[in-house]
Amino acid sequence: MQIRIDAFDLPGRTCATGPGFPGYTDIHVAVQRRDRREELLDPQPGDAATATWTLDCTAAPTNSGTDLKGPYIQGRPGDRFIYLSWGTLDTAGTFTLFRRAKLMLDAIAPATVDAARQSGTLLGRLRLTDAKGHPLCAAVRPPLIEWSAAPAR
């Protein structure tokens, strides 16, 4: 099975300072690999029109539902999530993390996971700009993200 994350409304490549936010330039966002904070999947510029990441995963039935596992899925069973890491990218290509969004997989309806197992793809669609105009961060659950089953690409 695959998980596809389709993101839209990115905050821009520069975010001005604000209360509790120092401001950053050359902002990028990427999916963080499990237990490898510095290993990022396909960094996208913060001013892109959209961003899409496709992750391979396994969906194993358990007594309490379905456990999703894969190289980009973090956490323990029952508390799995995907990190979208926000950072700056310097001229040498070094990514410096400043914030993360935690896409909570335990918030997906079991029927949606079952349908995705049948279709081959679990699709998460979300806006990446928060209410203050900054990069989205913290735990992300519906309605901030919409999960559905989608046909495999």
Side-chain angles (χ1 to χ4, degrees):
M1 188 170 107
Q2 292 187 318
I3 298 174
R4 190 172 80 232
I5 301 165
D6 285 349
F8 57 94
D9 192 21
L10 281 76
R13 213 174 277 203
T14 302
C15 287
T17 60
F21 190 79
Y24 296 94
T25 58
D26 207 13
I27 294 171
H28 284 69
V29 60
V31 175
Q32 178 186 313
R33 188 174 177 96
R34 181 184 66 244
D35 298 328
R36 297 182 190 167
R37 186 174 174 162
E38 71 289 339
E39 195 171 321
L40 302 168
L41 177 66
D42 202 14
Q44 298 292 310
D47 61 353
T50 62
T52 298
W53 298 273
T54 302
L55 320 171
D56 290 324
C57 75
T58 59
T62 67
N63 291 337
S64 59
T66 302
D67 187 26
L68 300 174
K69 296 188 280 188
Y72 293 93
I73 297 175
Q74 316 274 342
R76 296 188 168 113
D79 192 31
R80 302 273 193 213
F81 60 92
I82 297 167
Y83 269 138
L84 288 184
S85 295
W86 292 97
T88 59
L89 201 59
D90 67 17
T91 55
T94 302
F95 185 90
T96 304
L97 177 76
F98 66 83
R99 139 182 295 193
R100 293 188 285 200
K102 207 173 179 181
L103 308 184
M104 304 305 296
L105 300 178
D106 64 335
I108 304 169
T112 301
V113 175
D114 290 343
R117 287 178 65 198
Q118 297 299 314
S119 72
T121 302
L122 177 63
L123 172 63
R125 287 189 35 81
L126 76 160
R127 179 178 189 246
L128 290 183
T129 301
D130 70 12
K132 296 178 183 175
H134 295 143
L136 181 69
C137 69
V140 178
R141 294 180 174 86
L144 295 177
I145 186 167
E146 178 185 313
W147 292 103
S148 63
R153 282 189 172 179

